[in-house]
Amino acid sequence: MSKKDKATIHDIANKLGITASTVSRALNNHPRISARTKELVHEAAKEINYKPNSFAVALRNGRSRLIGIIIPTVNRNFFSSIVRGIEEYANQHDYRVVITQSYDNYEKEKQTVNALIDAQVDGIMVSLGKNTTALTHFKKAIERGIPLVFFDRVAEELPVSQVVIDDFQAAFQMTEHLIQQGYRRIAHFNSPMKINIFQERLRGYRQALENYGLKVDPELILYSNLQLEDGRESVASLLNQGIPFDAIFSASDYSIVGALQELKKNGIKVPEAVGLAGFGNEPFTEFTDPPLSTVDQVSIPMGQSVAKMFFDLLESEEKSLPIQKVMLRPKVIFRKSTQKIASNPVAKIAPATPF
Amino acid sequence: MSKKDKATIHDIANKLGITASTVSRALNNHPRISARTKELVHEAAKEINYKPNSFAVALRNGRSRLIGIIIPTVNRNFFSSIVRGIEEYANQHDYRVVITQSYDNYEKEKQTVNALIDAQVDGIMVSLGKNTTALTHFKKAIERGIPLVFFDRVAEELPVSQVVIDDFQAAFQMTEHLIQQGYRRIAHFNSPMKINIFQERLRGYRQALENYGLKVDPELILYSNLQLEDGRESVASLLNQGIPFDAIFSASDYSIVGALQELKKNGIKVPEAVGLAGFGNEPFTEFTDPPLSTVDQVSIPMGQSVAKMFFDLLESEEKSLPIQKVMLRPKVIFRKSTQKIASNPVAKIAPATPF
DNA sequence: GAATTGTGCGCAATCGATTGCATTTAATGG
DNA sequence: CCATTAAATGCAATCGATTGCGCACAATTC
């Protein structure tokens, strides 16, 4: 309405009786500009509230100072915390962040990648959708020379840097914990998807059983989409088929809550008759009755790690692009839902194990 | 690395032996360009995979096709659902969305607004932070002629369009429900913040009590930050002081979960001895034991409503800017936590009441 | 057949910032 | 005091797309 016209370097130039070139150089601290002029320019800039036009800069320099994040959904504690970590780091470096959601939908993910490329982001950080199999859309970005970093849900086939947590270790520790508590017929809920995180969790589960001389019973491994309803159904299925079990380790917090509800409905006591452990440390795992043991995916450190890796990559660009892989140590949290041994009624949190 | 050079209209022009002007006009369906030429241009564009350079367009047109969203945090079902609604609508209109979080921090909110203005977004949609009092940062946007739309947490003092839910009605209905269930000493948890939503919820609570001839007891109205811990403390405080109560209606789901935990700890039965009702319909309210009655804030319709209002505003721009206020009807959800009367064990959901 | 109206397209400026290549001015040398 | 060099700035092109104006040529009118 009123002062809709933004100040430009030309306004500064006119004000001072010099040219825009000089103003530009002064603002960019060019060595061939006198200290006095720089001073004047900065003053004038402040006075008329000059802000560089980001589009002009982007057009001229070919760098947008925009980075894209692709995550399955923002509505998960884990992802939103990561985003927060990235955002803070990026803002400090004067970059803006575009958050996009794939909703675990392959088509949407493809569109999103293309949209980001068209938007000319300077780089993309991705956590893959559950249903993503083909990766051509990312190859396109790589060909374009757009830096790429994967986190959590990654694709091993692509030559890109990545940050993950040690899902194997976490699953191993949780399963081990269940065994040590005295549970013997431990069921496992997992996803049929071919994503690293689920496969690693399964591997950890198996390894723990084997290490303790327990048989891995295929009947006890149930595949589903790991939502709340899936958890209920999986438990119902076990009960209906009369398959005995005394604990469940789920690769997702959601399905373990479903399991809890179904068990309660059938009058089965947790943790006395059946122990329950989830994965993800969603906030609600603390609110259930009993509170659920779970795995914290150290989202904040992951966000920072991703951002740092990314900006390292940005700067090293045009030179060699060393592919980095960082694996963070998750935190296994033991709560009441796995306390068959009632020795220690206080929930305890595993200390951050050093690397 | 390889085809890093993006195709431009000049490439198309060269290919066809015409000028960039013609190409531009052909792509924009200018009436003075022949059908034949348009056809050729479109073909060529497809062939060399031409994508307009958004910065050049933005620079030239002064419109960025970017809109900013400011919300307290993305990690709340309510907000992320709204974002989703907005995003879908915006993408259909070929706009991109920048999501930013204020973390309920006034300073951060100010910075964010400025950052968005500097990024030259074409408009901003905001849900205010809890601690926002001054509104000068928004006035700046208004002066700049940047369309603004508020939702949920709004400021009445500013001449901008807004979408809210009927917090008063929802609070009234929930309190009424508690009364009808037979609860008489109904406590209320609220925030000391001067935000519309909290004040309206308080008003609804009082009105219901009055309508049913119940006294509004100041001792029963507790102010806090409404987090989980606050809920525990509020209950503890009531118990310690020996203030009798047989129900709690909280303006937040988080504090009602805290209340539930504290009551359980003291062996007080819910819903038999004390009824509990929250606000927000966070997913975890379904997972607690017993499941909690709460208010669904119809986030999806709100997102759509906000987006629609916003784009209407964008188009009507330069003309009159009628200020619109939309008030959506929330859904009151009755679950087990308020079922003093055990007549109906099945959780029932209030039908969407028509306006 | 000359004048008028349309149609299809090119020229060149523009958006705001950057930058290679002058050009001007000041400082230094002989 | 004039030449040489360094220091400080200006000129003009550029990034890619858009658009007012104008120029050809064709179609229409009387």
Side-chain angles (χ1 to χ4, degrees):
Chain A
M1 235 134 265
S2 51
K3 279 283 277 316
K4 201 163 180 181
D5 335 277
K6 287 196 54 175
T8 73
I9 51 172
H10 293 96
D11 299 331
I12 300 180
N14 288 335
K15 202 170 156 74
L16 298 178
I18 55 181
T19 59
S21 323
T22 305
V23 174
S24 174
R25 282 192 257 256
L27 291 172
N28 290 310
N29 203 26
H30 188 109
R32 297 286 286 273
I33 300 295
S34 72
R36 172 100 189 97
T37 303
K38 285 179 185 172
E39 207 178 304
L40 287 171
V41 168
H42 278 108
E43 271 173 28
K46 232 152 290 166
E47 205 172 312
I48 66 176
N49 190 31
Y50 167 77
K51 293 283 166 52
N53 181 318
S54 52
F55 300 119
V57 176
L59 175 57
R60 175 65 218 222
N61 297 341
R63 311 188 102 215
S64 61
R65 301 196 83 77
L66 253 188
I67 56 189
I69 301 182
I70 306 177
I71 50 181
T73 171
V74 92
N75 186 29
R76 269 294 218 304
N77 205 269
F78 175 59
F79 290 121
S80 59
S81 297
I82 289 186
V83 166
R84 180 162 182 170
I86 295 176
E87 224 181 12
E88 282 174 3
Y89 203 106
N91 287 341
Q92 280 171 24
H93 289 239
D94 206 21
Y95 270 74
R96 261 167 302 124
V97 166
V98 177
I99 306 165
T100 64
Q101 309 180 63
S102 66
Y103 303 111
D104 278 322
N105 175 334
Y106 175 61
E107 277 307 317
K108 177 95 173 126
E109 183 176 291
K110 259 171 48 179
Q111 285 171 24
T112 299
V113 173
N114 287 324
L116 288 176
I117 293 178
D118 290 347
Q120 298 174 72
V121 295
D122 287 345
I124 302 178
M125 316 193 192
V126 197
S127 195
L128 292 175
K130 271 189 194 159
N131 307 308
T132 300
T133 48
L135 294 164
T136 42
H137 46 310
F138 292 112
K139 287 189 183 134
K140 195 167 144 193
I142 296 176
E143 278 168 18
R144 278 255 202 292
I146 299 176
L148 221 56
V149 174
F150 280 24
F151 58 92
D152 194 51
R153 301 184 184 177
V154 305
E156 299 291 353
E157 307 98 77
L158 246 39
V160 297
S161 291
Q162 52 180 236
V163 181
V164 295
I165 63 165
D166 195 338
D167 286 283
F168 171 78
Q169 261 297 325
F172 181 92
Q173 286 178 34
M174 188 58 91
T175 311
E176 182 177 48
H177 166 70
L178 286 167
I179 298 169
Q180 289 172 347
Q181 288 285 314
Y183 299 109
R184 284 297 170 267
R185 297 266 310 158
I186 304 171
H188 179 47
F189 292 174
N190 205 305
S191 162
M193 299 297 168
K194 293 266 169 288
I195 306 189
N196 60 313
I197 56 172
F198 294 125
Q199 298 185 329
E200 286 297 289
R201 290 173 198 177
L202 174 59
R203 208 163 62 79
Y205 162 77
R206 304 182 89 114
Q207 188 65 250
L209 292 184
E210 282 173 22
N211 281 17
Y212 283 80
L214 296 176
K215 193 176 113 237
V216 175
D217 184 346
E219 275 190 336
L220 288 177
I221 302 181
L222 307 197
Y223 294 94
S224 74
N225 205 24
L226 297 177
Q227 296 307 301
L228 185 97
E229 210 39 58
D230 301 309
R232 303 185 86 121
E233 284 169 15
S234 295
V235 164
S237 153
L238 285 172
L239 293 176
N240 287 340
Q241 296 182 254
I243 302 173
F245 66 98
D246 61 1
I248 305 173
F249 166 48
S250 165
S252 152
D253 279 339
Y254 286 86
S255 56
I256 206 70
V257 168
L260 174 59
Q261 294 182 345
E262 190 67 21
L263 288 170
K264 278 191 181 176
K265 198 174 126 191
N266 285 276
I268 301 173
K269 291 219 163 184
V270 176
E272 294 81 359
V274 172
L276 294 182
F279 208 111
N281 196 21
E282 288 291 338
F284 58 73
T285 54
E286 233 180 328
F287 305 162
T288 54
D289 185 16
L292 295 163
S293 292
T294 186
V295 176
D296 184 275
Q297 299 172 277
V298 293
S299 45
I300 304 278
M302 178 171 279
Q304 293 169 337
S305 183
V306 171
K308 183 172 180 333
M309 176 180 285
F310 181 81
F311 281 101
D312 286 354
L313 221 166
L314 261 193
E315 282 168 19
S316 81
E317 245 223 306
E318 310 294 347
K319 302 167 206 167
S320 61
L321 304 182
I323 290 172
Q324 293 183 56
K325 307 213 177 193
V326 169
M327 185 175 275
L328 302 175
R329 170 82 75 195
K331 273 195 261 182
V332 184
I333 300 176
F334 302 132
R335 298 208 185 94
K336 204 175 166 192
S337 70
T338 54
Q339 290 198 344
K340 192 187 183 84
I341 308 165
S343 59
N344 183 7
V346 184
K348 74 179 172 200
I349 292 174
T353 331
F355 265 83
Chain B
M1 233 134 259
S2 54
K3 278 285 277 313
K4 203 165 179 178
D5 335 279
K6 288 196 54 177
T8 74
I9 51 172
H10 292 96
D11 298 331
I12 300 180
N14 288 336
K15 202 170 156 73
L16 298 178
I18 55 181
T19 58
S21 322
T22 305
V23 175
S24 172
R25 282 192 256 254
L27 291 172
N28 290 308
N29 202 26
H30 192 283
R32 298 285 285 272
I33 300 296
S34 73
R36 174 98 188 100
T37 304
K38 285 180 185 171
E39 207 177 305
L40 286 172
V41 169
H42 279 108
E43 270 174 29
K46 232 152 289 168
E47 206 172 313
I48 65 177
N49 190 30
Y50 167 78
K51 292 283 167 53
N53 182 317
S54 50
F55 301 120
V57 176
L59 174 58
R60 174 66 218 222
N61 295 343
R63 311 188 104 216
S64 60
R65 300 198 82 78
L66 252 188
I67 57 190
I69 301 182
I70 305 177
I71 50 180
T73 171
V74 92
N75 187 28
R76 269 293 216 310
N77 204 270
F78 175 58
F79 290 122
S80 57
S81 296
I82 290 187
V83 166
R84 179 163 182 168
I86 296 176
E87 224 181 12
E88 282 176 2
Y89 203 107
N91 288 341
Q92 280 172 23
H93 289 239
D94 207 20
Y95 270 75
R96 263 167 301 123
V97 166
V98 177
I99 306 164
T100 64
Q101 309 180 62
S102 66
Y103 302 112
D104 278 323
N105 176 333
Y106 176 59
E107 277 307 317
K108 178 93 174 130
E109 183 176 289
K110 256 171 51 180
Q111 286 170 25
T112 300
V113 174
N114 287 323
L116 288 176
I117 293 178
D118 290 348
Q120 299 175 69
V121 294
D122 287 345
I124 301 179
M125 315 193 191
V126 196
S127 194
L128 291 176
K130 271 189 195 160
N131 307 306
T132 299
T133 47
L135 294 165
T136 43
H137 45 310
F138 291 113
K139 288 191 184 132
K140 197 168 143 192
I142 295 176
E143 278 168 18
R144 279 254 202 292
I146 299 177
L148 220 57
V149 173
F150 281 24
F151 58 92
D152 194 50
R153 301 185 185 177
V154 304
E156 299 291 354
E157 307 98 78
L158 247 40
V160 297
S161 290
Q162 53 181 235
V163 180
V164 295
I165 63 164
D166 194 339
D167 286 283
F168 170 78
Q169 260 298 326
F172 181 91
Q173 286 178 33
M174 187 58 92
T175 310
E176 181 177 49
H177 167 69
L178 286 167
I179 297 170
Q180 288 173 345
Q181 288 285 314
Y183 299 110
R184 284 296 170 269
R185 297 269 308 160
I186 304 171
H188 180 47
F189 293 173
N190 206 307
S191 162
M193 299 297 167
K194 292 267 169 289
I195 308 188
N196 59 313
I197 56 172
F198 294 126
Q199 298 186 328
E200 286 296 289
R201 289 173 199 177
L202 175 58
R203 207 162 64 78
Y205 162 78
R206 303 182 90 115
Q207 188 64 250
L209 292 185
E210 282 174 23
N211 281 17
Y212 283 80
L214 296 176
K215 194 176 110 235
V216 174
D217 185 346
E219 274 190 336
L220 288 178
I221 302 180
L222 307 197
Y223 293 94
S224 74
N225 205 22
L226 297 179
Q227 295 307 300
L228 184 98
E229 210 39 57
D230 301 310
R232 303 184 86 120
E233 284 168 15
S234 295
V235 165
S237 154
L238 285 172
L239 294 176
N240 287 340
Q241 295 182 252
I243 301 174
F245 66 99
D246 62 1
I248 305 173
F249 166 48
S250 166
S252 151
D253 279 339
Y254 287 86
S255 56
I256 206 70
V257 169
L260 174 60
Q261 294 182 344
E262 191 68 19
L263 288 171
K264 278 191 182 178
K265 200 174 124 191
N266 286 276
I268 300 175
K269 291 221 163 184
V270 176
E272 293 82 359
V274 172
L276 296 181
F279 208 110
N281 196 21
E282 289 291 336
F284 58 73
T285 54
E286 233 180 330
F287 305 162
T288 55
D289 185 15
L292 294 163
S293 291
T294 186
V295 177
D296 184 274
Q297 298 172 279
V298 291
S299 44
I300 303 278
M302 179 173 279
Q304 293 169 337
S305 182
V306 172
K308 182 171 181 336
M309 177 181 284
F310 181 81
F311 282 100
D312 285 354
L313 221 167
L314 262 192
E315 282 168 20
S316 81
E317 243 222 307
E318 310 294 347
K319 302 167 206 167
S320 60
L321 304 183
I323 289 171
Q324 293 183 57
K325 307 212 177 194
V326 169
M327 185 175 276
L328 302 175
R329 170 83 75 194
K331 271 194 262 183
V332 184
I333 300 177
F334 303 133
R335 298 209 185 93
K336 203 174 165 193
S337 70
T338 53
Q339 291 199 341
K340 191 186 184 83
I341 307 168
S343 59
N344 183 9
V346 183
K348 74 178 173 201
I349 292 174
T353 332
F355 265 84

